[in-house]
Amino acid sequence: MQQQTARIKIAVQKSGRLTDHSLELLSRCGLSYSKGRDQLICYGENMPVDVLLVRDDDIPSLVQEDICDLGIVGLNVVEEYRLGIGTADASAVFRQVSLLDFGHCRLSFGVPDGTSFEGSVSLAGKRIATSYPRILKDYLQREGVDATVVEFSGAVEIAPSLGKADLICDLVSSGSTLRANQLYEAQTILESRAALIQTPVQVPEEKAVWIKRLLQRIEGVQQVRESKYIVLHAPRSALDAIRALLPGSEAPTIMPLDGRDDKVALHAVCRENVFWETLEQLKEAGASSILVLPVEKMLA
Ligand code: ATP
Ligand code: ZN
């Protein structure tokens, strides 16, 4: 049995837009844990890693206060929290270890249809409803705009029709919520996506080893999503042209083909998706027997 103190705690949103992606990421890192969505803690069964399921707004403070070692949360929530505690010593907050490839959205002004918007001048003297008062106030201050920030904890998009605000500043991804409320997206003030944050506190060695391993696996999972393994036959004379066509690849492996001096086999990992157009160009350049294979796992 591991000592309680040696176990890593990672805070993940309990129920919301980041939950499935976050849990899937941890599963792909090889973590299996006791399930049960009503639980606050899921105990890792094959690694000393436990998952704490909480509201996303609680994740930055749990990590900053070292109650959790790691957390997965949107940059919008991170930024709102950071502005709340002041920026005197950024390193005492938490470390933002990496950006993740899900939870993409933006914090934008939503303006009622039929109302024009010309940047800062259109904000002056207005009432702006938002759930991100600190980010908005910081933006207004930097722009030198005097406007009233009306704080809403949810359903910000109905504020204009209720007469509580002239416009809103809210998270947008597809824009369908704005459209459904007769608003249009006028300007973005923050681009956001999920991020992995880490405690600012120095962790003991036995924990550090597992944290490093987990971070490396998360990196690997992210890289692998887009990566492809390409195998092809190429005339030696066309190798330079073919290598130049391979998207995002490092030095490929070149192997002789039995009984052929003029042709070789080329194997390469491409860190970007490989489209049909690339295959057609490779063929035109002289490649044959082209195979594109998915990559299951990767450790750089
Ligand atoms: P909680 O109950 O955990 O407080 P919540 O209602 O604050 O949940 P969600 O709506 O589940 O949060 O969104 C979680 C995160 O997902 C957001 O903070 C943001 O980073 C990201 N996100 C991605 N797209 C959107 C979107 N269209 N609207 C809101 N959030 C989005
Ligand atoms: Zn929340």
Side-chain angles (χ1 to χ4, degrees):
M1 217 12 216
Q2 297 273 350
Q3 289 285 312
Q4 187 64 23
T5 50
R7 295 186 70 84
I8 292 156
K9 287 197 202 71
I10 175 160
V12 164
Q13 190 186 24
K14 183 176 168 64
S15 168
R17 292 172 196 261
L18 302 181
T19 308
D20 289 347
H21 289 288
S22 305
L23 295 177
E24 194 219 307
L25 176 63
L26 295 175
S27 299
R28 292 189 58 156
C29 289
L31 178 68
S32 53
Y33 47 83
S34 59
K35 298 221 171 54
R37 279 289 171 87
D38 296 335
Q39 281 173 240
L40 175 65
I41 301 186
C42 298
Y43 294 100
E45 286 163 351
N46 57 345
M47 298 186 206
V49 177
D50 300 329
V51 182
L52 229 81
L53 296 167
V54 293
R55 284 200 58 197
D56 68 344
D57 314 70
D58 295 334
I59 294 175
S61 61
L62 284 169
V63 175
Q64 194 224 338
E65 291 162 17
D66 196 37
I67 296 164
C68 291
D69 306 278
L70 298 167
I72 297 177
V73 65
L75 285 179
N76 48 304
V77 174
V78 165
E79 194 54 20
E80 185 69 13
Y81 179 81
R82 219 196 283 270
L83 289 168
I85 57 170
T87 49
D89 181 8
S91 66
V93 185
F94 38 69
R95 281 189 280 159
Q96 185 184 305
V97 196
S98 59
L99 293 174
L100 304 173
D101 55 7
F102 56 86
H104 295 267
C105 59
R106 46 205 188 269
L107 189 61
S108 293
F109 290 119
V111 177
D113 289 339
T115 310
S116 66
F117 185 87
E118 273 112 37
S120 297
V121 285
S122 304
L123 298 170
K126 297 282 166 54
R127 294 165 304 155
I128 314 170
T130 192
S131 312
Y132 295 90
R134 294 180 186 127
I135 298 178
L136 177 57
K137 282 179 189 161
D138 180 63
Y139 174 82
L140 294 172
Q141 195 183 357
R142 280 186 283 116
E143 291 290 306
V145 174
D146 197 9
T148 307
V149 174
V150 186
E151 213 171 315
F152 266 64
S153 56
V156 178
E157 62 281 355
I158 60 167
S161 58
L162 291 178
K164 298 218 173 226
D166 302 301
L167 68 157
I168 69 169
C169 181
D170 200 14
L171 293 176
V172 184
S173 44
S174 70
S176 57
T177 309
L178 288 185
R179 278 193 296 279
N181 289 279
Q182 291 80 50
L183 301 165
Y184 71 94
E185 186 177 0
Q187 191 189 328
T188 296
I189 65 167
L190 179 85
E191 297 279 353
S192 182
R193 61 204 275 195
L196 185 71
I197 55 173
Q198 186 179 349
T199 170
V201 175
Q202 181 87 32
V203 291
E205 188 54 31
E206 78 257 43
K207 258 192 183 184
V209 170
W210 271 100
I211 290 183
K212 189 167 171 226
R213 198 173 282 179
L214 193 61
L215 297 184
Q216 214 170 40
R217 290 186 188 185
I218 287 175
E219 194 66 27
V221 169
Q222 298 238 111
Q223 279 182 1
V224 122
R225 281 198 224 271
E226 289 278 281
S227 295
K228 294 283 177 281
Y229 192 74
I230 290 201
V231 180
L232 54 80
H233 290 176
R236 279 189 189 278
S237 57
L239 265 181
D240 283 349
I242 286 172
R243 286 177 63 163
L245 287 169
L246 296 172
S249 73
E250 285 160 19
T253 309
I254 311 287
M255 284 169 284
L257 282 172
D258 200 23
R260 297 289 300 259
D261 287 336
D262 57 332
K263 276 195 167 187
V264 290
L266 178 151
H267 289 209
V269 173
C270 292
R271 294 188 184 234
E272 293 166 31
N273 214 341
V274 180
F275 296 102
W276 278 110
E277 288 74 9
T278 307
L279 298 193
E280 286 153 6
Q281 288 164 357
L282 286 168
K283 197 167 160 61
E284 268 167 39
S288 56
S289 306
I290 309 170
L291 285 180
V292 180
L293 308 165
V295 177
E296 168 74 21
K297 290 191 175 67
M298 186 187 281
L299 201 61

